[in-house]
Amino acid sequence: MTEPLTGAARAAGSGADTAPGPVPGPVPGPATGSPARPGRPPRPGRGDAARRGGAAPYLFLLPAVLLFTLFFAVPICYTAYLATRRIKVSGLGLGRGSRREVSAGLDNFATALADGELWAGWLRVLGYGALVLAAMLGLAVLFALLLDSATVRLARFSRIAIYLPYAVPGVAATLMWGFLYLPSLSPLRGLLDADLLGPGTVTFSMANIAVWGGVGFNMLVLYTALRAVPGELYEAARLDGGGEVRIALRIKLPLLMPAIILTTVFSIIATIQVFAEPTALRPLTNTIGSTWSPLMKVYRDAFVTGDLYSAAATSIVIAAISLVLSFGFLRVVRDRAFGEG
Amino acid sequence: MRARPLAAAAAAIVAAGIATGCSSEPAAAPRPAETSAAAGPVTLTYWTWAPGMDKIAKVWNAAHPDITVKVSKQAGGDDASAKFLTAAKAGNPPDLVQAEYQHLPSFVAAEAVADIKAEVGASRAEFSEGLWKMVTLGTDAVYGLPQDSGPMMLFYRKDLFDKYGIAPPKTWDEYAEAARKVHKADPKVYLGTFSSKDPGSFAGLAQQAGAQWWSIDGQSWKVAVADEPTKKVADYWGGLVKEGVIDGIPYFTPEWNKALNDGRLLTWPCAVWAPGVLSANAPKGKDRWAVAPLPQWTAGEGHSGFWGGSSVAVSAKSPNKAAAARFITWLNTDPEALRLLVEEAAIYPAAGKAQAAMTKAPDYFAGQADFWQQAATAATAARGFTFGPNVGVTYNAFKDAFDQAVAKKTSFSAAVQAMQDATVADMRKSGFQLAP
């Protein structure tokens, strides 16, 4: 799965897709290309090198480990710790010492799991995510195939035009779309006689923003993967009498599968973490509550209602659910994606 | 290949970390020496969103080389309160913070602000009883000095009132009648709107009706967000929204600005700081707006409420509390500073003598010669209430519940009950003593 990507990177880097450029996937690299049997002897040699190097490998590793610990492991541990604490106030809660942090055991987790609002948020995000995933990845595949077809014109321009929205920061894009949606300000209003921020439409409007912003990036990933497909395959297909459409469906799409799965996993994670769009749209409409998405609830608990502890517990629950969803998806599709390897 | 950008990013992060580490150190270094708060130059950081405060600080700094005030401009509103509470918890709060009256109790409850009674207690006579209560929370301590206040009045489009043949309503019944009349005359025009995004405005209207959302009874809190006056106010507006004669677009949104500019919104019950907002958001309305007292619930009464207004508090963690108290005393009671507050920060000062000294009406209301007399009347007529230690919860519940109620045109008093329930549940969870 890394092979086509690196190959494609090389192809993109050279800018030309002439014959000798991309390397077909299964060609072994020169390093491992040395005789197969004597593959054993070199191993002790490498071990010797490591021993001779002494601390060098660890030294190289150190920055990564340090950064991982500082910015990843420690915050996660601190969050886990916070999730088991709570504030205990006595009396009026004013004045010194009337507020103590005490252990809460697993109460915060129990509250988070039993919170109807959090689950309602999950449901909303699920609906939103289904829309986004289907529309965004569908369009990305379509555009990538179109751009890769032999007959396309203005390929470079289209590629940039489709990619460009991805370069617009999410909040800016949301505000721009928000203004387009507002009844009295929108130039679309004349064309569409619907309240685009109404209770029934707001999910679609929000999904539209995500699709608009995300198609370009996913298209580029897929397109890059397509460029790495060896030209001989197409040549063979054409000799066999396959037209562009058949090549796209029978050859390109199956070859794209690993890349599609990769972009799907990324998109699932991004959807679960949806925060900026609803938060930026919220002041413009009264159809988005403060707990519209699970992450918005975390933000609200931590910074609006001032309960860091339950926010920590909720974010751990969210992380667990994201893990289950993304790994679950990978498990389901693994055989299809990587079965051939 | 792939690791490279990551490594570069990581290096950048480390560099940034080192940079911030370095930059924060010089600021922190002189502090420990100043705990005695006597000699040597002191630097105070001050979080505020009042416009022009940096200029006012410059005036102070020029006259007081020993105490330098560094203004750090903040975004206002509920975000500012969240930011301060987070900074206080993280252990690096500013020395001074602008604290809206409704957020001060949360700051006190989080032990984020200091009791400065010894340093500022002498200024008590400068402020009205009601405002002083806002910074003492009805206790023996003093947690800040009042800076500005926001008594509410009724701002209305004089030209359009004439056009539709209505007089400034004296009671809320007359206001409702006028709302029906205007909307009937032109279905695109509304007399006003009910904002589900501005709990402060609703709190002010509830105060006018006599609400007491929180009160302290001995060692326990009494929570009455859903008291009779509040329900009366809620149902009044809910009825008009349901009837369709009062709009439901929130304040301070692009839609609202446009409606104001196009003359499709005729009134705004707002605090004394409205001219600043109107001139920025509805520049076309200059000289067309006028001001009148808020309509009353019973003819002949003269009540008002507060929307907004803030105090300046000193961080509990500040090592320079005495210096900080000196600065805020100057800022909020010295005639020269008060003049600057009015001119540069465009606020309605809390100090009584400064209110009395205001004569020239705001530019936007140039035609209204008695603007400040009206404001002074509203200030004495306004009744506030004690704010509780978890206003953030209550205000958030307001937004969620009223968003729904306005969108679906359901009962507003049910939304008020949702606020009450959320407030009580949160206080109970934290362990506050609640009166039965």
Side-chain angles (χ1 to χ4, degrees):
Chain A
M1 114 129 262
T2 46
E3 272 305 332
L5 270 179
T6 45
R10 230 172 293 157
S14 69
D17 45 353
T18 42
V23 187
V27 168
T32 48
S34 42
R37 264 290 108 190
R40 268 189 173 188
R43 238 184 226 165
R46 264 162 72 190
D48 277 350
R51 234 168 284 141
R52 261 182 277 128
Y58 299 101
L59 215 63
F60 282 120
L61 216 61
L62 190 68
V65 170
L66 208 69
L67 288 172
F68 179 84
T69 314
L70 270 180
F71 295 109
F72 209 74
V74 171
I76 287 179
C77 292
Y78 185 56
T79 307
Y81 167 75
L82 278 183
T84 63
R85 312 288 292 174
R86 69 188 195 89
I87 283 291
K88 178 93 187 87
V89 169
S90 52
L92 286 176
L94 306 175
R96 296 251 139 233
S98 56
R99 165 178 288 245
R100 284 174 302 124
E101 197 183 288
V102 297
S103 170
L106 296 176
D107 285 1
N108 290 332
F109 291 103
T111 317
L113 286 173
D115 189 342
E117 257 185 274
L118 186 65
W119 295 109
W122 279 113
L123 269 183
R124 278 186 293 263
V125 166
L126 217 64
Y128 161 86
L131 280 174
V132 172
L133 283 179
M136 183 168 72
L137 296 177
L139 285 174
V141 170
L142 179 71
F143 288 148
L145 289 174
L146 284 176
L147 283 176
D148 193 55
S149 76
T151 53
V152 74
R153 284 177 207 176
L154 290 173
R156 181 187 288 263
F157 170 79
S158 315
R159 209 164 55 216
I160 293 177
I162 298 169
Y163 180 73
L164 215 54
Y166 179 66
V168 178
V171 173
T174 307
L175 286 178
M176 191 194 78
W177 277 103
F179 275 70
L180 288 176
Y181 293 152
L182 282 175
S184 73
L185 297 165
S186 174
L188 301 174
R189 188 63 173 176
L191 305 170
L192 274 168
D193 193 34
D195 181 2
L196 294 172
L197 292 173
T201 50
V202 73
T203 305
F204 293 91
S205 301
M206 224 178 319
N208 175 51
I209 302 173
V211 170
W212 179 81
V215 164
F217 171 76
N218 290 296
M219 175 207 71
L220 214 64
V221 173
L222 299 174
Y223 177 72
T224 313
L226 274 181
R227 300 307 283 177
V229 174
E232 297 91 88
L233 274 177
Y234 298 147
E235 225 177 293
R238 265 186 215 107
L239 282 176
D240 285 346
E244 280 294 327
V245 176
R246 271 188 65 163
I247 291 180
L249 292 180
R250 291 295 183 78
I251 304 215
K252 293 183 181 177
L253 217 48
L255 284 172
L256 263 186
M257 232 33 196
I260 293 179
I261 285 162
L262 174 86
T263 51
T264 308
V265 172
F266 284 169
S267 307
I268 288 178
I269 295 173
T271 308
I272 290 169
Q273 298 180 346
V274 63
F275 176 77
E277 287 91 352
T279 305
L281 273 186
R282 194 162 107 84
L284 301 180
T285 169
N286 43 30
T287 47
I288 302 171
S290 62
T291 53
W292 191 89
S293 82
L295 269 198
M296 286 173 78
K297 186 180 149 55
V298 171
Y299 176 82
R300 188 203 69 178
D301 287 349
F303 300 114
V304 179
T305 59
D307 187 353
L308 273 180
Y309 311 94
S310 52
T314 310
S315 47
I316 287 174
V317 170
I318 291 174
I321 291 178
S322 324
L323 276 180
V324 167
L325 282 183
S326 38
F327 279 108
F329 174 77
L330 275 180
R331 236 198 136 79
V332 167
V333 298
R334 191 170 47 186
D335 293 343
R336 279 208 64 178
F338 312 114
E340 76 272 12
Chain B
M1 273 304 263
R2 225 186 243 173
R4 248 194 225 147
L6 243 186
I13 292 169
V14 173
I18 292 168
T20 50
C22 286
S23 66
S24 68
E25 215 136 310
R31 280 183 182 173
E34 282 311 312
T35 330
S36 54
V42 170
T43 300
L44 303 171
T45 47
Y46 177 16
W47 284 7
T48 175
W49 58 87
M53 192 54 85
D54 44 344
K55 289 181 195 155
I56 302 174
K58 216 177 257 173
V59 173
W60 162 269
N61 291 342
H64 301 81
D66 53 330
I67 303 174
T68 308
V69 175
K70 270 173 81 174
V71 170
S72 166
K73 189 97 189 217
Q74 304 295 308
D78 298 343
D79 290 345
S81 134
K83 187 174 167 185
F84 174 70
L85 284 173
T86 309
K89 188 168 169 54
N92 54 353
D95 297 282
L96 291 159
V97 63
Q98 178 173 0
E100 283 181 282
Y101 294 122
Q102 74 270 19
H103 288 308
L104 194 57
S106 322
F107 292 179
V108 174
E111 293 180 16
V113 295
D115 176 4
I116 46 172
K117 186 178 189 184
E119 289 89 353
V120 304
S123 304
R124 174 172 190 158
E126 303 279 345
F127 306 98
S128 73
E129 194 70 32
L131 284 178
W132 192 251
K133 214 179 142 191
M134 294 284 195
V135 294
T136 62
L137 318 185
T139 65
D140 283 336
V142 178
Y143 295 107
L145 267 190
Q147 181 161 76
D148 68 325
S149 100
M152 291 179 79
M153 300 181 280
L154 184 71
F155 295 85
Y156 66 98
R157 275 291 290 263
K158 200 166 186 297
D159 55 336
L160 295 176
F161 264 48
D162 292 344
K163 181 182 158 193
Y164 292 106
I166 43 179
K170 295 256 182 304
T171 63
W172 287 111
D173 283 339
E174 286 179 33
Y175 185 88
E177 271 317 308
R180 292 184 187 104
K181 190 172 173 185
V182 165
H183 190 63
K184 204 175 163 199
D186 185 345
K188 272 195 244 137
V189 175
Y190 292 96
L191 186 68
T193 181
F194 183 86
S195 174
S196 58
K197 306 279 184 196
D198 293 282
S201 161
F202 181 70
L205 293 173
Q207 287 173 347
Q208 187 208 15
Q212 289 288 340
W213 287 3
W214 287 271
S215 46
I216 294 176
D217 180 13
Q219 274 307 299
S220 50
W221 286 97
K222 196 164 173 296
V223 183
V225 179
D227 60 4
E228 283 314 312
T230 309
K231 280 187 173 162
K232 176 173 75 180
V233 175
D235 281 333
Y236 170 81
W237 289 98
L240 293 176
V241 167
K242 194 169 184 182
E243 206 180 317
V245 294
I246 285 288
D247 204 1
I249 54 172
Y251 300 144
F252 312 112
T253 58
E255 290 252 274
W256 181 71
N257 294 348
K258 185 141 197 322
L260 284 178
N261 248 330
D262 295 351
R264 286 185 286 113
L265 263 185
L266 269 46
T267 67
W268 186 24
C270 182
V272 64
W273 41 260
V277 176
L278 288 173
S279 60
N281 298 19
K284 281 194 212 158
K286 190 171 185 299
D287 291 332
R288 296 181 184 175
W289 286 80
V291 64
L294 271 191
Q296 298 298 312
W297 286 103
T298 310
E301 278 180 352
H303 295 303
S304 180
F306 291 104
W307 180 7
S310 44
S311 58
V312 191
V314 177
S315 269
K317 293 239 171 64
S318 170
N320 302 309
K321 294 192 186 71
R326 259 184 75 195
F327 169 69
I328 61 172
T329 305
W330 171 82
L331 181 65
N332 297 305
T333 62
D334 184 87
E336 166 70 5
L338 289 168
R339 187 184 62 77
L340 287 168
L341 274 180
V342 172
E343 283 173 14
E344 298 287 351
I347 61 165
Y348 185 63
K353 65 184 174 209
Q355 292 178 359
M358 301 186 68
T359 47
K360 192 173 161 289
D363 271 351
Y364 195 83
F365 284 83
Q368 181 108 33
D370 66 342
F371 187 93
W372 294 117
Q373 281 97 300
Q374 293 244 25
T377 312
T380 46
R383 39 187 184 184
F385 54 56
T386 311
F387 283 100
N390 62 339
V391 170
V393 172
T394 313
Y395 276 22
N396 181 72
F398 170 89
K399 291 179 197 170
D400 277 348
F402 276 88
D403 266 353
Q404 294 272 324
V406 170
K408 296 183 178 154
K409 305 206 169 177
T410 51
S411 161
F412 275 28
S413 52
V416 164
Q417 189 60 47
M419 290 168 71
Q420 162 84 8
D421 295 346
T423 310
V424 169
D426 177 75
M427 290 181 78
R428 196 159 277 152
K429 192 177 107 192
S430 301
F432 286 98
Q433 188 81 42
L434 290 176

